[in-house]
Every structure is written in structure tokens, then in C-alpha cells.
Amino acid sequence: MSELHKFLFDGLPVRGMIVRLTDAWTEILKRRAGNTATGAYPAPVSELLGEMAAAGVLMQSNIKFNGALVLQVFGDGPVKLAVAEVQSDLSLRATATVNGEVSSDAKLSQMVNVGGGGRCAITLDPKDRHPGQQPYQGVVPLHGDHHEKLERLSDVLQHYMLQSEQLDTILVLGANDQVAAGLLIQRMPIKGEGNLAAGLSHRENEDQIGHNEDYNRIAHLAASLTREELLTLDVDTILRRLFWEEKLLRFEPQQGASGPRFACTCSRERVSNMLRNLGAEEAESILAERDDIEVGCEFCGQQYRFDAVDAAQIFVSPAAAQPPGPTGIQ
């Protein structure tokens, strides 16, 4: 079962989290592989998307925000767009648009940032928006301060968090076809919540960047965690292996209904409404070319099919007293 563990370092201005996505992650991959129109993701794309899903859970859990956190990576490579969306209740979904060949050993720059114009965007979309309220969005390039291309998503996100929160952060991410996992260690803000949604710069926090010895020591330990260890070791073992000399205050793990889990907002009813908006004439033209109308959810890979009878029912008014007369669809 997918799980999220939060912890504090007793007496120190440092907090941490570990997420392990198991059933939630394999469900995303299974649905994509089962989509006959797209097929499974290439391995490097799957790894990137898994890391994004894990990072999305960590970042959503790190802020107090009632709404969706949407993490996007996009650019001019064969992977035009990769998206992970995590709701405030930690339900999540993810997808990627692949237009071209992705080699088995492709790195981030080769997938997304071929021409150097790749970007990473994080959007906070409030669940209950006020009139005129717009989602908060921050965007960073997929390169470092010296315009070198970044090859690890963790480096991109660390740079983003340093800019947006003025807080030192270290991320270790990894994913394979069974597990997507991540470790986050962050220096706690001196003032305020250091909330992504606030978009505020606190001079006290900024002045502390790179100077807190406790954080630097713990970050150095966290950075020693390998991808293999992150993906294969249980959480208790990881924490003992890294921080056996530190006093940790651990919170109850979040699993099941309170933990990270796959969920998609698509449904046959929503697709029916979409087709209804297209209109009967458009539906008829599609059915004239093929036996059914097929619509696939870009997020979860679920495919919805409507034959002529299904399509006819979509355009029947529920309030109609009499059945409709013959149409081209019927």
C-alpha cells in the first residue's frame, strides 16, 4: 500500500518526509499499458513520471493548501508534456504526451529540453476559488544558474523551492515499474510557513540559505541515499541507515484513505457530457466513419466507447415525453 511518512528532527529546524507509491503507481502504469491507442510508456518516461508523482505528493504534503498541486514538465523534445496532479487529500494522477522516439537511456534533457527551452511549472489551483482569483503558478527553466542543462528532476525542484520559499531543500527521487519514491529534507522557516502558495520572500529565511549547520549535516546524510536504496528499502530501514545518530519525532504514517492513492476524475458521464457539447451532427459524422466513438482519458488511460445506440441516448432529453423520431444515428 502506498504510504507517506513525516518526521521532525527534535530540537532542530529541519523536517522531512518519505513517500512510497506502490499500488497507486502501478495502477497508473497498468492503465496506460492497457490503452490500445498509446501503449505503455518508454522506460525513461515512466521513470520521470514516477518521480514527478512522488515529488508532487511530497510538495502537496509540505504546504497547507486546499486544492490541486499540478507539477508539469514541458519542452521541445519527444516528451512534449508530463503532468502529475495531487489533490489536498493526496489522491493523484499522472500522464505524459510522447511524440517521437525515446531511447532506452534518454536523460531529462533528451526527453524534454533538447533545444534548451524546457520548463518546469508548479501550479496551485484552489478548490474553492474566489471571484477573479487565479491559480498561483511558478515556472523555472530546466537549467542551472550557469545555464547548464539539468538532468535530474530533483535538481530542478530543489532550485524551484529555493527560489519560491527561500528555504534549503534536498530531494532524492526514484522510480521503476513497481515503486515511485521520494525523500524530502527541508530547513524550516524562521518566520512564516514558507508556503508555496504565499509567494513571499522572507529576508530572515533568505539570509539563512546554506548557513544552518544542522540542516547542512542532515542534508549531507540524506544525499548519500542511493536510488536503489530508496526503491528497495522500507522506510524504517532508510531512516535508521541515514539518521541513526539523530533524534527523530515521527508522525503516524498516512496510508489507505488518508494516504497517497490513485484517483482520476474522468467518468463515462463526463465523457457523455463532452460528446453532448460536440453536438449530434459531429457524433453522426464520427459514426459514419467507424462503428463507434472512442474517447480515452489522457490522465489514466481509461477508454470509453459509445456505439450508435449509446450515442443516440446521449442526445435524448430526459424530460422528453415521447421517444424521438428516427435519426441518422439510429
Side-chain angles (χ1 to χ4, degrees):
M1 184 180 295
S2 299
E3 54 189 345
L4 174 69
H5 296 253
K6 297 182 179 181
F7 51 92
L8 298 172
F9 292 82
D10 191 21
L12 304 178
V14 186
R15 59 188 170 194
M17 284 182 279
I18 295 181
V19 63
R20 284 180 57 81
L21 302 178
T22 51
D23 53 344
W25 174 232
T26 55
E27 180 67 19
I28 291 172
L29 294 182
K30 182 179 74 173
R31 285 173 176 251
R32 172 72 181 204
N35 188 317
T36 56
T38 62
Y41 291 116
V45 178
S46 176
E47 182 174 343
L48 170 63
L49 203 59
E51 291 185 358
M52 291 176 63
V57 172
L58 292 172
M59 298 177 76
Q60 174 68 279
S61 303
N62 202 33
I63 61 177
K64 296 179 180 179
F65 178 73
N66 184 25
L69 182 147
V70 183
L71 172 59
Q72 298 173 290
V73 175
F74 53 93
D76 56 1
V79 180
K80 300 302 181 186
L81 174 67
V83 184
E85 178 186 285
V86 185
Q87 301 292 333
S88 53
D89 65 356
L90 299 187
S91 59
L92 64 101
R93 58 182 188 168
T95 187
T97 302
V98 183
N99 294 327
E101 289 293 323
V102 177
S103 64
S104 60
D105 59 349
K107 297 181 179 180
L108 181 61
S109 64
Q110 296 167 321
M111 289 189 286
V112 187
N113 197 26
V114 175
R119 295 289 185 269
C120 173
I122 297 177
T123 304
L124 298 179
D125 191 3
K127 188 173 184 179
D128 300 310
R129 288 195 207 174
H130 305 301
Q133 183 182 9
Q134 297 296 319
Y136 167 82
Q137 185 177 76
V139 182
V140 292
L142 301 182
H143 60 69
D145 293 333
H146 303 290
H147 294 280
E148 73 281 10
K149 290 183 178 180
L150 298 178
E151 300 296 359
R152 298 191 304 177
L153 177 68
S154 57
D155 291 335
V156 175
L157 295 178
Q158 285 169 188
H159 188 216
Y160 175 89
M161 287 194 230
L162 197 61
Q163 287 189 338
S164 66
E165 299 186 53
Q166 288 77 49
L167 292 177
D168 299 289
T169 304
I170 186 165
L171 272 169
V172 182
L173 301 170
N176 56 27
D177 60 355
Q178 295 296 319
V179 182
L183 166 68
L184 179 146
I185 297 293
Q186 188 173 66
R187 177 176 57 82
M188 296 172 67
I190 295 173
K191 290 185 178 181
E193 296 177 357
N195 194 320
L196 276 168
L200 300 176
S201 173
H202 300 294
R203 170 59 63 181
E204 293 88 346
N205 292 328
E206 195 171 354
D207 289 345
Q208 279 289 310
I209 292 174
H211 298 303
N212 188 282
E213 293 183 2
D214 292 318
Y215 169 80
N216 289 341
R217 181 185 70 256
I218 292 169
H220 180 74
L221 295 171
S224 70
L225 182 67
T226 67
R227 176 182 179 274
E228 182 72 14
E229 289 171 332
L230 178 64
L231 295 177
T232 59
L233 299 180
D234 62 78
V235 173
D236 291 342
T237 301
I238 289 174
L239 293 180
R240 282 197 306 270
R241 142 115 161 68
L242 295 177
F243 310 122
W244 63 275
E245 290 187 307
E246 308 291 339
K247 184 177 180 181
L248 298 183
L249 301 177
R250 297 182 60 181
F251 297 91
E252 191 71 23
Q254 293 177 242
Q255 298 174 305
S258 66
R261 61 205 179 279
F262 170 80
C264 190
T265 57
C266 75
S267 67
R268 190 172 181 86
E269 180 181 2
R270 293 188 68 174
V271 176
S272 296
N273 290 336
M274 183 195 72
L275 294 176
R276 189 177 293 111
N277 291 334
L278 285 177
E281 184 176 344
E282 181 68 19
E284 288 183 22
S285 67
I286 296 174
L287 289 168
E289 297 177 2
R290 48 183 297 168
D291 294 334
D292 59 13
I293 301 173
E294 180 179 291
V295 179
C297 174
E298 293 184 0
F299 266 98
C300 69
Q302 181 70 42
Q303 291 173 293
Y304 299 91
R305 292 182 175 86
F306 298 80
D307 60 18
V309 175
D310 296 329
Q313 291 175 342
I314 290 175
F315 298 101
V316 173
S317 171
Q322 299 294 331
T327 70
I329 295 179
Q330 293 175 319

